[in-house]
Amino acid sequence: MGPLQSEALHAYKAVIKAMVRSNKKSKIALRLGEKKQEIAVLTYKRMNVVREMNVKNIDVLRKSRLVRDLQSLNRKVETLKNSDPSRDRKLHFIEDSGSIKKEFLSHALNERNIIHFKDVASFLTNQREYDELIERYNPGTKLSQEEIVKRTAERVGLNVPFQ
Amino acid sequence: MLRSIFRTVTPVVSTFRTASSSLAGRRICTRFVTPVRLYSSESVDKNEITTRVIDVIKAFDKTAASKEVSPQTAFHKDLGLDSLDTVELLVAIEEEFDIEIPDKVADELKSVGETVEYIASNPEAH
């Protein structure tokens, strides 16, 4: 492997690393949202099953099937609740690296483009750090509306009504 | 105002002291309290590193999923990864263990076993 190739490889590595790191946080947030939604859907299904079970003079066969449904739903909710999206190993990879690789292979093997790739990597890294700092120095900008209302109420000694 | 606070505090302290002295007279518990050091865990052991590395490799969608991965597995020969894919995998492993593998070392890592060796030798890995 020539020096140019290994330089190219290092540039590629820097780009990939910057991309993985800057994607990670938003991906985790997305997964958490999805998890919440899924749990809500399952809970709704469970409620429906319970309602059906409480109907009077229900067929025995049907009832046993409903019980089984309920159990499987419960199990699903449990596993979902215990799963931690931030531990998922897929987060260490970028999903569609094929296109980046193609782009890289068609351009990378001259010095100027390698420098260009390195610039991209450092731009991504610095942008991520800048965002992190902005967030750290302005706490509360990323809060949800509910959270803001709750904190405002607490600041003046009140509680938000229980829903 | 401070003085008023102190004035209210003192009686509480004195009652506490008498309570503790009565406890000390009976000598309970003291023998069972042994100091425990709550350090963060030491650097991970090799078997665990191997399994985690293999898990990361399995999560990589470019590896042939059916392949059995062992410490002898080489990235290029056995998993069919080219140099760019290998780089991607190494980045993932770095993220998993929260370390930085310097470029020169990373160029030399060709198999699962070598990677595990390097991570085990890195004190920052966890």
Side-chain angles (χ1 to χ4, degrees):
Chain A
M1 203 160 59
L4 197 63
Q5 268 158 319
S6 73
E7 269 301 293
L9 217 56
H10 297 164
Y12 185 72
K13 186 179 174 187
V15 172
I16 294 284
K17 201 192 279 185
M19 286 183 72
V20 168
R21 288 203 177 147
S22 47
N23 277 343
K24 194 171 260 182
K25 214 172 165 194
S26 58
K27 267 193 202 165
I28 290 177
L30 197 73
R31 298 267 176 91
L32 280 175
E34 283 171 358
K35 181 179 155 186
K36 218 171 158 187
Q37 216 169 5
E38 239 170 293
I39 287 179
V41 168
L42 286 176
T43 323
Y44 177 70
K45 276 187 191 162
R46 198 165 59 179
M47 267 163 54
N48 275 348
V49 170
V50 170
R51 197 174 301 152
E52 220 173 313
M53 271 165 72
N54 287 339
V55 173
K56 273 176 192 164
N57 56 44
I58 192 170
D59 184 6
V60 179
L61 215 73
R62 185 162 170 67
K63 185 150 190 176
S64 70
R65 218 188 62 211
L66 284 175
V67 168
R68 230 175 304 139
D69 280 356
L70 192 68
Q71 279 170 350
S72 82
L73 280 176
N74 279 343
R75 228 171 297 135
K76 269 186 204 162
V77 171
E78 266 318 295
T79 48
L80 255 184
K81 272 185 184 164
N82 289 334
S83 72
D84 181 5
S86 60
R87 296 293 308 161
D88 187 5
R89 298 212 152 92
K90 289 268 181 219
L91 286 174
H92 302 326
F93 298 100
I94 29 180
E95 265 143 34
D96 185 26
S97 61
S99 55
I100 301 163
K101 195 172 147 191
K102 214 186 282 169
E103 192 75 6
F104 188 79
L105 286 175
S106 59
H107 291 110
L109 277 177
N110 70 55
E111 262 167 55
R112 199 159 154 266
N113 282 340
I114 289 174
I115 292 172
H116 199 64
F117 268 98
K118 282 189 174 163
D119 286 345
V120 171
S122 57
F123 169 74
L124 285 174
T125 311
N126 292 330
Q127 189 62 35
R128 180 176 54 83
E129 271 167 24
Y130 172 71
D131 284 342
E132 274 169 16
L133 286 177
I134 287 278
E135 208 187 317
R136 189 178 298 172
Y137 282 93
N138 303 288
T141 45
K142 287 266 170 81
L143 291 178
S144 68
Q145 185 59 31
E146 284 167 43
E147 191 68 13
I148 292 172
V149 169
K150 194 175 147 225
R151 288 193 186 190
T152 313
E154 273 166 11
R155 169 163 290 189
V156 294
L158 300 172
N159 284 324
V160 180
F162 181 73
Q163 285 160 347
Chain B
M1 194 185 126
L2 263 185
R3 198 180 296 160
S4 73
I5 290 174
F6 280 130
R7 219 179 282 149
T8 54
V9 162
T10 32
V12 178
V13 170
S14 65
T15 52
F16 178 71
R17 199 176 291 149
T18 51
S20 66
S21 67
S22 73
L23 267 187
R26 272 198 268 161
R27 291 206 174 203
I28 326 169
C29 297
T30 44
R31 218 195 275 165
F32 301 106
V33 181
T34 48
V36 180
R37 292 186 172 176
L38 297 170
Y39 291 150
S40 63
S41 60
E42 289 169 21
S43 56
V44 272
D45 78 322
K46 236 175 223 180
N47 285 332
E48 201 197 324
I49 294 174
T50 315
T51 51
R52 275 167 72 186
V53 167
I54 289 173
D55 282 346
V56 171
I57 291 172
K58 283 189 175 154
F60 191 24
D61 44 16
K62 278 177 189 161
T63 52
S66 56
K67 281 261 172 68
E68 200 62 31
V69 183
S70 74
Q72 281 76 40
T73 310
F75 296 139
H76 176 60
K77 254 191 263 164
D78 300 321
L79 294 175
L81 301 174
D82 63 19
S83 54
L84 296 183
D85 295 335
T86 309
V87 160
E88 213 172 304
L89 185 61
L90 286 176
V91 167
I93 290 171
E94 281 183 24
E95 288 291 303
E96 168 74 23
F97 291 95
D98 218 353
I99 51 172
E100 298 267 345
I101 304 176
D103 287 341
K104 272 184 191 156
V105 180
D107 290 343
E108 303 302 317
L109 297 176
K110 302 267 183 260
S111 73
V112 177
E114 288 169 24
T115 315
V116 171
E117 282 296 324
Y118 175 74
I119 296 167
S121 72
N122 191 328
E124 283 172 20
H126 61 266

